[in-house]
Amino acid sequence: MSKHRLTDVDMVEQADSGTDNGASSRAVNIRTFATLPAPKKTRVIAVANQKGGVGKTTTVVNLAAALALRGLKVLVIDADQQGNASSSLGFRNLADNQLSLYEVMTEGAALRDALLQNAKIPNLWLVPASMNMAGIELELNERTNFQQILGEAVQQLLSSGAHFDYIFIDSPPSLGIMTVNALVAAQEVLVPLQAEYLALEGLTQLTKTIDMLVIRLNPHLRFTGILPTMVTSNTLLGKGVLEEVRAYYGDIVMETVIPRNVALAEAPSHEESILTYQPASKGAKCYLDAAYELVNREEKP
Ligand SMILES: Nc1ncnc2c1ncn2[C@@H]1O[C@H](COP(=O)(O)OP(=O)(O)O)[C@@H](O)[C@H]1O
Ligand SMILES: [Mg+2]
């Protein structure tokens, strides 16, 4: 187990800084945290599962916040037209002249020009989604190499001198063009899996798609982990599903599991991550643990 595991001291320091006078009074002092080691090179991680409501966006937002609070520089790219990651990170509405992933994908805008900084966690950056992305599949269909647009934009960002330790790409609930772009742009894929009856069924389709992409478009893509989400391990069903997933996928399944936790569902309406909204909650603790585990799952050369 990681030597970087969360200590209770961290939680108490954070919890004590909270009052109920609104978000601004809960500013987080990042100096109270130990920093985590940076990866050797930027880790680009697509968070994907073609099922909706399994915890993709919750996982992206809270892992990104956890790592950024631990001193790493983190970018979230919101590749879902619904823009849930964007609003969870404080950008529900965009200024008229704000560039989004739409302009990056369709007009060749640079990711660098679409960056937004999180108000509470300065190390946390976002490239927002926009409603225009609803029609993007049709728009991009006619382009050659349309699967590689996001990958090229990410490479261009990194070679332009911008530095990020982690880039998370939040994908939509489909295996369409945006998810394929995310999987081609990434070196790693992380799959949140809602621990419920029949959870494994959709996973077979996803792993087939990933296998196909690895052969055709992105030989470097690797499976970083399956993160069980919304786990109710106090029920027999929840326990059984988890055991089944572990028996089938072995070590790919992360040790950390994310329980069902109401604070995790409330945080987005406050446009905050769980780490700043309710740092002492079970959800915050578990996403911090997941962040540490992710750091330890860096591929060894
Ligand atoms: N561990 C959890 N406990 C309670 N609610 C959760 C948890 N994870 C996600 N949710 C809630 O479930 C809904 C779906 O989660 P979300 O992350 O948006 O899924 P996806 O991005 O896969 O569609 C959201 O309302 C979210 O706030
Ligand atoms: Mg989502």
Side-chain angles (χ1 to χ4, degrees):
M1 190 40 66
S2 160
K3 62 180 187 301
H4 297 294
R5 254 187 126 71
L6 177 72
T7 65
D8 289 336
V9 178
D10 291 335
M11 300 306 287
V12 171
E13 276 171 338
Q14 286 248 307
D16 286 350
S17 71
T19 68
D20 281 334
N21 300 337
S24 58
S25 62
R26 278 188 238 110
V28 173
N29 179 3
I30 58 170
R31 280 167 303 181
T32 58
F33 293 112
T35 56
L36 276 169
K40 291 200 177 53
K41 66 187 215 13
T42 309
R43 289 177 71 185
V44 184
I45 304 176
V47 176
N49 186 328
Q50 78 277 21
K51 244 185 117 185
V54 297
K56 288 183 290 298
T57 302
T58 307
T59 296
V60 164
V61 166
N62 295 306
L63 281 182
L67 293 168
L69 283 168
R70 251 55 187 174
L72 301 176
K73 195 164 170 206
V74 186
L75 171 63
V76 168
I77 298 178
D78 189 351
D80 182 2
Q81 66 192 51
Q82 294 177 71
N84 294 340
S86 307
S87 50
S88 300
L89 290 171
F91 295 95
R92 191 177 301 275
N93 298 305
L94 300 181
D96 284 346
N97 60 354
Q98 172 63 43
L99 295 176
S100 72
L101 190 60
Y102 176 77
E103 286 79 22
V104 173
M105 298 295 296
T106 61
E107 295 169 11
L111 284 171
R112 200 182 177 126
D113 295 329
L115 292 174
L116 290 166
Q117 189 174 24
N118 185 263
K120 294 209 149 181
I121 310 175
N123 267 357
L124 179 54
W125 295 78
L126 168 76
V127 169
S130 83
M131 296 293 275
N132 298 340
M133 283 162 58
I136 210 163
E137 308 257 332
L138 284 175
E139 281 187 62
L140 294 183
N141 236 331
E142 318 206 320
R143 297 255 294 268
T144 49
N145 294 347
F146 60 81
Q147 303 102 324
Q148 273 120 333
I149 300 172
L150 183 56
E152 282 165 13
V154 169
Q155 285 318 312
Q156 190 195 38
L157 174 74
L158 296 176
S159 59
S160 75
H163 172 75
F164 290 98
D165 295 305
Y166 282 80
I167 298 179
F168 291 96
I169 309 172
D170 189 19
S171 359
S174 77
L175 290 174
I177 284 178
M178 289 308 294
T179 299
V180 169
N181 264 275
L183 292 170
V184 173
Q187 303 124 16
E188 304 179 39
V189 55
L190 176 67
V191 176
L193 183 80
Q194 187 178 354
E196 56 165 22
Y197 185 55
L198 297 181
L200 284 172
E201 305 237 313
L203 213 53
T204 322
Q205 190 59 38
L206 181 63
T207 48
K208 269 193 202 148
T209 304
I210 292 171
D211 288 346
M212 188 196 74
L213 286 172
V214 166
I215 294 165
R216 294 203 196 148
L217 293 166
N218 186 2
H220 305 295
L221 187 66
R222 85 183 170 95
F223 222 129
T224 292
I226 293 174
L227 178 63
T229 59
M230 304 186 212
V231 173
T232 44
S233 49
N234 52 346
T235 68
L236 265 183
L237 178 62
K239 254 191 209 147
V241 171
L242 211 52
E243 278 165 17
E244 195 186 356
V245 174
R246 285 198 196 284
Y248 197 80
Y249 284 96
D251 285 349
I252 293 176
V253 185
M254 292 176 69
E255 265 180 63
T256 312
V257 303
I258 308 297
R260 218 170 244 292
N261 177 240
V262 68
L264 280 170
E266 287 168 2
S269 64
H270 298 266
E271 304 199 357
E272 283 195 62
S273 79
I274 190 74
L275 285 305
T276 52
Y277 171 65
Q278 271 192 31
S281 64
K282 185 93 181 120
K285 183 187 175 325
C286 290
Y287 270 110
L288 272 167
D289 284 347
Y292 290 137
E293 192 177 345
L294 188 69
V295 166
N296 285 325
R297 281 181 176 234
E298 182 183 356
E299 195 173 29
K300 303 290 177 281

